[in-house]
Amino acid sequence: MSKKILLFTLQSFSTTGGIQKMTRTLAHSLNHIAVNDKWDFDMYSAYDANQDLMPQYLPAEKFRGFNTNRSAFVIQAIKKGIKADVVILTHINLALVGLIIKKINPQTKVWLIAHGIEVWRSLSFFQNTFLKHCDKVICVSDFTKQQMISRHNISQDKCAILNNAIDPFMRLPTAFAKPQHLLDKYNLTLDNPVIYTLTRLANSEQYKGHDQVIKLISRLKVKYPGIKYVLSGQYDISEETRIKNMIACDGLEDDVILTGFIDEKDIPDHFLLADVFVLPSKKEGFGIVFIEALACGLPVICGNADGSIDAIRNGELGKAVDADNLDELEAAISNELETSLSSQKRDSLQKKCLHYFNEDAYINNLEELLMVTNG
């Protein structure tokens, strides 16, 4: 039986971040399924404009951007949603749209994608009401699933886990030498051990753990002369000031390199530059950046108190530590730096990561969820 599937999002193509990356892959996968199964599929975005669409993910005729015209988005989303078989919301802030669709046409199956901190908190009346009436909550990790059950009393049967996948258009390395142009850019040599972090650097998100790594550099440089900490990500002014004050206080101006924003096309080379990726965060819903690093053959160290555990397959692909325990974090970093990171090890890490987090597997799991939906 043919299905009509709609994907509603806040913003996916005009900005970047974990949720945006996940939504692009989701859109590409849904379109692939729709083409193969002869279903109808369309994507609506509240804040993207039509010209923001990245055409490799979706044909233009399958996408409509409302360019911040939220009223028009809501009206059209409800109008089309009540005639659909499945409506997928990519953020809890779209709950009111989903609730209205469900009230007008109870036969429409309405799903929510639950990522991380946006649902690990108290929710509004309409959001809580929506959770009671929606048909499925797709959680990106087991941790998020448990949060939905414990915080919002969602039944286990209503929740499904769909781990994120590597972006099908991410440029993955086939060789693993450190890029000479980045060695030159950051004034590094092959003798410099490199710790790398890529994250959003916001003063309101100090749970990411990059400051924990900065605190350790003074210790690590005693054991590993020439060690460098390359910290990438767009930062707000207050966070930039805070980080630079930390660096200056410990006299680490020559040891910590702040790159600022890194274009997506340049991210793989930065993973190749490093010897270990470290992000001891405490509030990752999943952590797409971990599987991106692994897909470039880079060992990862994450926190052990959030969805990062899913990204490293409970320790199979990486090391999880108590983000507040500096000694434990130091030991994990030292262990990686003392282990030779050969091209063979990088290649093996890449293959293991892609075995679990490839788009084909993601599509199969997504299609299975759709197949059991009565439409």
Side-chain angles (χ1 to χ4, degrees):
M1 179 182 294
S2 178
K3 291 183 186 287
K4 173 65 178 177
I5 303 170
L6 292 174
L7 179 66
F8 296 155
T9 181
L10 294 173
Q11 193 171 25
S12 299
F13 298 108
S14 54
T15 189
T16 189
I19 292 178
Q20 290 79 14
K21 286 184 176 183
M22 177 269 172
T23 304
R24 293 175 210 160
T25 299
L26 175 62
H28 184 262
S29 299
L30 285 169
N31 189 60
H32 176 90
I33 292 169
V35 169
N36 277 4
D37 294 339
K38 296 182 171 56
W39 296 347
D40 290 325
F41 169 69
D42 290 291
M43 177 180 183
Y44 286 6
S45 174
Y47 299 124
D48 291 315
N50 286 333
Q51 59 267 29
D52 292 324
L53 174 67
M54 299 174 184
Q56 66 268 37
Y57 293 95
L58 206 62
E61 63 270 19
K62 297 293 183 180
F63 177 76
R64 182 171 178 186
F66 287 82
N67 198 22
T68 73
N69 188 340
R70 189 171 175 88
S71 296
F73 167 80
V74 169
I75 292 169
Q76 288 301 312
I78 294 171
K79 180 179 177 181
K80 298 295 184 181
I82 60 176
K83 298 177 182 178
D85 295 299
V86 182
V87 170
I88 303 174
L89 311 180
T90 63
H91 200 284
I92 189 64
N93 286 350
L94 293 166
L96 183 58
V97 171
L99 182 61
I100 293 172
I101 290 170
K102 197 64 186 171
K103 288 292 188 180
I104 295 175
N105 183 7
Q107 298 305 310
T108 296
K109 304 301 179 184
V110 183
W111 296 2
L112 171 71
I113 307 292
H115 302 276
I117 57 172
E118 87 284 359
V119 290
W120 304 350
R121 56 179 176 81
S122 297
L123 301 177
S124 71
F125 170 78
F126 287 115
Q127 289 169 339
N128 278 310
T129 304
F130 168 71
L131 287 178
K132 290 183 176 67
H133 290 87
C134 72
D135 297 280
K136 188 73 70 176
V137 178
I138 308 297
C139 305
V140 301
S141 64
D142 181 66
F143 185 87
T144 290
K145 176 182 175 180
Q146 298 309 319
Q147 291 289 306
M148 296 303 295
I149 293 170
S150 62
R151 287 177 179 268
H152 306 302
N153 297 314
I154 305 299
S155 71
Q156 186 156 322
D157 291 342
K158 185 181 280 193
C159 294
I161 299 173
L162 183 65
N163 287 152
N164 294 327
I166 292 291
D167 186 316
F169 300 103
M170 181 179 179
R171 176 178 59 84
L172 299 179
T174 56
F176 299 98
K178 294 195 175 189
Q180 187 62 48
H181 71 99
L182 290 184
L183 291 171
D184 294 340
K185 179 177 181 178
Y186 300 127
N187 196 28
L188 302 174
T189 72
L190 295 176
D191 293 328
N192 291 116
V194 177
I195 302 170
Y196 186 54
T197 296
L198 171 65
T199 188
R200 183 172 55 250
L201 299 170
N203 192 256
S204 60
E205 297 182 7
Q206 293 181 19
Y207 57 80
K208 292 290 187 177
H210 48 280
D211 50 353
Q212 297 292 78
V213 184
I214 293 173
K215 292 174 186 176
L216 284 177
I217 298 301
S218 293
R219 293 195 212 174
L220 290 167
K221 65 189 289 190
V222 175
K223 295 189 289 183
Y224 307 101
I227 193 169
K228 302 294 182 182
Y229 180 34
V230 180
L231 177 56
S232 294
Q234 187 168 356
Y235 39 69
D236 56 37
I237 293 175
S238 57
E239 184 64 1
E240 178 186 16
T241 301
R242 188 182 76 90
I243 291 172
K244 287 185 174 179
N245 285 340
M246 284 187 65
I247 293 170
C249 184
D250 289 341
L252 301 175
E253 291 90 343
D254 295 331
D255 308 300
V256 180
I257 300 169
L258 301 177
T259 72
F261 173 78
I262 297 292
D263 193 279
E264 285 194 37
K265 66 180 175 57
D266 297 321
I267 290 174
D269 280 353
H270 282 75
F271 288 139
L272 290 176
L273 177 70
D275 298 288
V276 59
F277 181 85
V278 184
L279 184 65
S281 179
K282 293 186 282 189
K283 293 184 180 180
E284 298 299 310
F286 174 82
I288 286 179
V289 70
F290 294 117
I291 61 174
E292 289 181 334
L294 289 164
C296 293
L298 184 61
V300 304
I301 298 171
C302 64
N304 65 3
D306 59 14
S308 307
I309 297 295
D310 277 36
I312 64 165
R313 298 278 303 176
N314 295 307
E316 179 181 351
L317 299 179
K319 176 69 174 177
V321 300
D322 179 350
D324 293 323
N325 189 325
L326 286 179
D327 291 337
E328 187 177 342
L329 179 58
E330 181 184 7
I333 294 173
S334 296
N335 183 65
E336 289 297 342
L337 294 179
E338 289 168 7
T339 304
S340 175
L341 184 56
S342 63
S343 293
Q344 291 77 15
K345 180 177 179 179
R346 280 188 176 269
D347 183 66
S348 176
L349 271 177
Q350 182 186 69
K351 284 184 169 62
K352 286 180 181 178
C353 174
L354 295 178
H355 172 74
Y356 293 116
F357 299 113
N358 64 84
E359 192 194 19
D360 287 344
Y362 184 82
I363 286 172
N364 290 338
N365 292 332
L366 181 59
E367 187 171 28
E368 185 175 335
L369 288 170
L370 289 166
M371 284 295 191
V372 299
T373 300
N374 296 321

